[in-house]
Amino acid sequence: MSEADVGTAEAVAKGNCDFDLIIVGAGFAGMYMLYRARGLGLSARVIEAGSDVGGTWYWNRYPGARCDVESMQYSYQFDDKLQQEWNWSERYAPQPEILSYAQHVAERFDLRRDIQFNTRVQAAVFDEQSSCWRIGTSDGGSHTARFCVMATGCLSSTNLPDFKGLDSFQGDTYHTGQWPHEDVDFNGKRVGVIGTGSSAIQSIPIIARQAEHLTVFQRTPNYTVPAHNGPIDQDYVARVKAEYPAMRARAKTMISGLDFEPNMASALDASAEEMQAQYEAKWAYGGIPFLGAYGDLLLSEKANDTAADFVRGKIREIVDDPEIAELLSPGNVIGCKRLCVDTDYWATYNRDNVSLVDVSGTPIERITPAGVQVDGREYAFDAIVFATGFDAMTGTLLKMDIRGLDGQSLREKWAEGPKTYLGLSIAGFPNLFTVTGPGSPSVLTNMLPSIEQHVDWISDCLAYMRSHGHDRISPSTEAEAEWVNHVSQTADLSLRSTCSSWYVGANIPGKPRVFMPYMGGFPAYVDKCDAVSANGYQGFALS
Ligand code: NA7
């Protein structure tokens, strides 16, 4: 769609926009933004590519898909009745339940009437004369709005590597991030899974139980810690519900935005016995809090090695075949890539119907009509599952043709990596906001509180603009450059920036290698955002 095709000529000529706000995406960010916009009396329209709400949890329906944040914390807190009335069934909520929760929120607040489903935004162009964003959509439609909020998610653009012969495969293919809505039955089938990231680690144990044979193609082994998932403890639920606001407040003081008790001591000061006991306790508790075993696990390689060694020991303990255990053992920094949380992942390799193919030295050569070819050998399958991840954080934004002042495109602006002010706004793109955009803590934190913090900040900003008679806001290039610099310097302090992960865009050929999320932690980030708004939106030009 070209710029000329986008927009309502009449509205543009009048200097009016069709809506105060267009929100792109009806996941948790878009839904809450709509709720807040309505509360401010603003007219808003949400445009959503899927046929219903839920975002990430609408698309990622693969077997075993589950949140790696505990249920009682992975929910909205803006409405106490909502958090009191909703009941989670498991410690870690499975995808269908999170999707039901999103649907419940949509119904409870009657959100769907302002959401246009099955429509993808293709272009967003700022019209300088009218100060309206003109949004062009896949159905050929267009709308104008004073403000545009990109609530497009961090992991919403799937990555399907450009394997030779991809289209030649005669069997069924699936991507974990675009899973069909119908049940997929692997019973009696020969299945290949490509990838060993979080999606693969969650789905492999379940596919293995169904398939006649499962072959996993692993390029880089990954660290995972058991979830110890199960039915949620009702006493715990009652305790949390009795003190939900206090728990939420505690979580906000944590770097991760998660309420748990990290041990801030150095691993290097612990004796071998203390360390073993500490890691065993964390392993028994399960999940991402494992990385809170010591305060320096992501700061010192020597400290990190102690945790990595412990997990490698667990792999050797669980996996019967020492050669397979060795292949499954990651050699890099634990927590550098996002730590995975699993149910029976390592033990799955003890099954007779599961094999592991190491493609680290001999990449997948091609997809053939019968299956996958590696090192001259063909593996035949009835189905191939691509668990190959996402073009994270920037992929979805850059798929759209977003143009700001002077027709500058976001693709040009971000050619060397994303540049934002606070991960919320972009110099040269007035009245455009990104929820959990690159340069904000986003994926390094519990997403729900981070989403709410961004949406609240944007809502307060819109209210401020209205009360001060402003209709345009844009960050200065200086404020943006300073923030980009700060994000990059902060990333350098942590081991997280040292490996080839999707945090740095290393999984996408040609993507600039930049650590995208902000590593400074949730509390420091919130303080910065609050200081910016308290100082009359410091770093922004308002007119
Ligand atoms: P990830 O974590 O990006 O994992 C993708 C996996 O696919 C990973 O093991 C990749 O290996 C592998 N991959 C990608 N391209 C290839 C090729 N060409 N050949 C072989 N293997 C390949 O995505 P997920 O969906 O699992 O998880 C994303 C996030 O969702 C996760 O971090 C949680 O936050 C939830 P590589 O490591 O690049 O060598």
Side-chain angles (χ1 to χ4, degrees):
M1 179 169 298
S2 75
E3 185 179 341
D5 297 330
V6 185
T8 313
E10 197 191 335
V12 171
K14 279 198 302 191
N16 293 328
C17 318
D18 299 335
F19 298 96
D20 292 317
L21 196 63
I22 285 201
I23 300 160
V24 187
F28 285 123
M31 287 201 293
Y32 182 46
M33 191 69 243
L34 172 59
Y35 171 87
R36 287 299 317 266
R38 280 191 193 160
L40 291 170
L42 300 174
S43 61
R45 164 73 61 97
V46 181
I47 316 261
E48 165 58 49
S51 64
D52 201 1
V53 297
T56 294
W57 303 104
Y58 171 92
W59 297 102
N60 286 268
R61 296 165 183 256
Y62 59 84
R66 184 181 297 286
C67 191
D68 57 10
V69 170
E70 292 193 32
S71 309
M72 294 306 287
Q73 300 205 48
Y74 194 77
S75 56
Y76 288 122
Q77 56 191 288
F78 68 84
D79 184 293
D80 191 50
K81 275 194 189 140
L82 171 66
Q83 67 183 1
Q84 292 295 336
E85 78 194 6
W86 182 260
N87 292 311
W88 297 104
S89 68
E90 296 180 43
R91 181 178 172 193
Y92 291 94
Q95 172 271 333
E97 198 165 305
I98 306 175
L99 186 58
S100 299
Y101 172 70
Q103 291 165 342
H104 169 74
V105 171
E107 274 146 38
R108 198 181 189 288
F109 299 106
D110 188 22
L111 297 178
R112 286 195 182 91
R113 68 184 153 88
D114 287 321
I115 306 177
Q116 182 177 332
F117 292 106
N118 302 306
T119 311
R120 202 171 270 284
V121 168
Q122 292 178 321
V125 177
F126 186 69
D127 183 272
E128 290 183 43
Q129 205 193 337
S130 64
S131 231
C132 296
W133 276 95
R134 297 187 284 143
I135 309 292
T137 52
S138 52
D139 59 352
S142 65
H143 306 284
T144 59
R146 179 72 65 215
F147 298 95
C148 178
V149 177
M150 293 296 176
T152 44
C154 296
L155 296 163
S156 47
S157 217
T158 50
N159 166 42
L160 182 59
D162 190 18
F163 292 117
K164 271 190 218 151
L166 197 54
D167 294 335
S168 68
F169 182 60
Q170 300 293 301
D172 300 322
T173 57
Y174 305 93
H175 192 291
T176 46
Q178 280 179 334
W179 202 261
H181 288 209
E182 314 75 58
D183 279 347
V184 176
D185 184 7
F186 290 120
N187 270 297
K189 299 216 167 127
R190 298 160 305 162
V191 183
V193 171
I194 300 178
T196 47
S198 174
S199 305
I201 282 175
Q202 289 188 331
S203 56
I204 281 167
I206 293 172
I207 298 175
R209 291 205 287 273
Q210 297 175 357
E212 179 195 299
H213 194 92
L214 168 64
T215 307
V216 177
F217 296 90
Q218 172 187 272
R219 186 165 70 181
T220 315
N222 231 321
Y223 292 98
T224 176
V225 169
H228 302 304
N229 187 40
I232 200 159
D233 174 353
Q234 290 307 325
D235 291 341
Y236 167 69
V237 171
R239 275 201 311 279
V240 171
K241 285 192 175 178
E243 59 125 34
Y244 235 143
M247 183 214 215
R248 303 292 199 182
R250 275 197 310 274
K252 284 180 185 165
T253 65
M254 305 298 295
I255 282 179
S256 60
L258 274 173
D259 178 37
F260 76 107
E261 280 177 34
N263 170 21
M264 296 317 288
S266 165
L268 303 177
D269 292 339
S271 69
E273 296 74 34
E274 281 165 357
M275 196 181 280
Q276 184 68 16
Q278 171 71 341
Y279 287 138
E280 286 292 358
K282 290 286 173 188
W283 186 264
Y285 182 79
I288 288 176
F290 182 82
L291 286 176
Y294 290 103
D296 51 357
L297 293 186
L298 287 170
L299 298 174
S300 147
E301 237 171 290
K302 217 169 154 201
N304 190 280
D305 278 346
T306 64
D309 277 345
F310 176 86
V311 176
R312 285 190 284 261
K314 286 288 177 195
I315 300 171
R316 284 193 296 274
E317 251 174 52
I318 299 168
V319 178
D320 297 339
D321 180 333
E323 273 178 39
I324 301 289
E326 185 56 32
L327 279 180
L328 288 170
S329 295
N332 54 358
V333 165
I334 183 169
C336 193
K337 290 183 174 184
R338 188 178 172 103
L339 185 64
C340 301
V341 180
D342 73 283
T343 299
D344 295 337
Y345 178 65
W346 308 117
T348 297
Y349 291 92
N350 294 336
R351 297 176 64 101
D352 291 338
N353 70 332
V354 175
S355 30
L356 180 67
V357 179
D358 172 23
V359 296
S360 57
T362 48
I364 291 172
E365 278 161 22
R366 59 187 306 119
I367 306 295
T368 68
V372 175
Q373 187 174 309
V374 179
D375 205 13
R377 176 172 170 196
E378 188 181 59
Y379 298 82
F381 299 118
D382 302 304
I384 301 176
V385 174
F386 295 94
T388 43
F390 300 88
D391 184 351
M393 305 205 72
T394 56
T396 304
L397 291 169
L398 295 179
K399 269 189 187 158
M400 293 177 272
D401 187 11
I402 301 177
R403 289 177 188 268
L405 295 174
D406 302 323
Q408 188 191 21
S409 83
L410 192 63
R411 288 177 198 145
E412 283 159 21
K413 168 148 183 162
W414 285 6
E416 286 162 13
K419 294 184 176 64
T420 70
Y421 182 39
L422 304 173
L424 267 167
S425 61
I426 304 163
F429 294 75
N431 294 0
L432 178 79
F433 295 103
T434 48
V435 181
T436 63
S440 73
S442 60
V443 291
L444 300 179
T445 62
N446 182 6
M447 285 300 280
L448 264 288
S450 277
I451 284 171
E452 284 183 307
Q453 185 256 337
H454 264 192
V455 169
D456 287 340
W457 191 94
I458 294 166
S459 304
D460 291 349
C461 175
L462 297 179
Y464 175 93
M465 288 178 70
R466 187 171 54 188
S467 64
H468 287 74
H470 298 306
D471 67 1
R472 206 188 266 202
I473 183 166
S474 183
S476 70
T477 37
E478 294 76 27
E480 182 182 82
E482 221 173 277
W483 183 252
V484 169
N485 198 23
H486 174 62
V487 170
S488 148
Q489 283 175 348
T490 314
D492 289 344
L493 300 175
S494 160
L495 296 173
R496 269 206 174 113
S497 56
T498 60
C499 66
S500 298
S501 66
W502 58 257
Y503 292 140
V504 297
N507 61 330
I508 304 296
K511 190 164 173 170
R513 195 173 172 127
V514 172
F515 193 86
M516 293 182 284
Y518 175 54
M519 190 94 71
F522 189 77
Y525 175 76
V526 173
D527 285 350
K528 170 71 183 174
C529 291
D530 290 349
V532 165
S533 50
N535 290 322
Y537 292 88
Q538 196 176 21
F540 287 94
L542 288 143
S543 56

